[in-house]
Amino acid sequence: MNVWTPSLVEERLAEAAFVLKRLPEPRRQGYFSTWPAVLHSFGDKVGQEPKPMRVLPSPQAISRMEETLTWTACLEPVDGRIVWMKAHGERWKEICWSAGLHRSAAHQHWQFGLAVIALTLNKRRFNRNLSKQRVIELASGA
């Protein structure tokens, strides 16, 4: 990928969030159970919901996720939080409540964050004093 666009950045962030959800939960070292494993009979299992299968992500997906985690370092904390919350599939109502912004302002912060990441990945210089809308237009025209 030579040219990064905000939509490609959005897809990669969404993939990274999905990979993070699929990783196994960390376990504390040094703790173990001395209880024997419980063997359930067929009668015990009859009304239970099946456990969801947990498919572990591939090593390539984990590598892409690790690379993606560093992308929000160049953003303001509010923009980074909004970008990650949207990547995790949060609803705009929750994002607005968390950031303390109106829907249109939160959407502009999200677009600005994606644009800054895309411009940074493309190694394009831009003036940090530009308006958010101008930076979004610069990234879209790349």
Side-chain angles (χ1 to χ4, degrees), residues 122-139:
N122 289 331
K123 295 183 177 32
R124 287 191 56 196
R125 292 179 177 255
F126 63 97
N127 189 351
R128 292 283 179 168
N129 294 330
L130 291 176
S131 68
K132 286 184 176 24
Q133 191 60 40
R134 182 68 181 126
V135 172
I136 293 168
E137 290 169 3
L138 268 174

Side-chain angles (χ1 to χ4, degrees), residues 7-120:
S7 60
L8 289 174
V9 170
E10 178 186 4
E11 288 174 14
R12 180 67 82 83
L13 287 167
E15 179 195 16
F18 184 66
V19 168
L20 278 173
K21 288 179 188 176
R22 290 182 4 198
L23 288 176
E25 296 176 10
R27 295 186 180 176
R28 291 187 175 245
Q29 297 293 326
Y31 290 96
F32 60 92
S33 175
T34 57
W35 286 82
V38 177
L39 299 175
H40 296 283
S41 67
F42 178 75
D44 293 335
K45 292 182 181 180
V46 170
Q48 293 183 358
E49 292 289 325
K51 289 185 180 179
M53 275 186 50
R54 187 165 203 137
V55 179
L56 297 177
S58 68
Q60 294 83 11
I62 293 174
S63 296
R64 286 191 304 272
M65 182 253 331
E66 288 173 343
E67 175 190 355
T68 307
L69 289 176
T70 62
W71 289 358
T72 56
C74 62
L75 300 177
E76 294 291 324
V78 140
D79 298 334
R81 183 179 328 118
I82 290 172
V83 165
W84 272 115
M85 287 179 77
K86 189 65 180 154
H88 279 279
E90 293 288 333
R91 296 178 48 210
W92 279 112
K93 185 176 185 177
E94 297 296 323
I95 294 171
C96 294
W97 183 81
S98 170
L101 297 169
H102 287 285
R103 165 76 168 76
S104 59
H107 187 262
Q108 187 177 31
H109 278 271
W110 174 66
Q111 286 182 325
F112 175 73
L114 294 177
V116 168
I117 292 171
L119 290 171
T120 305

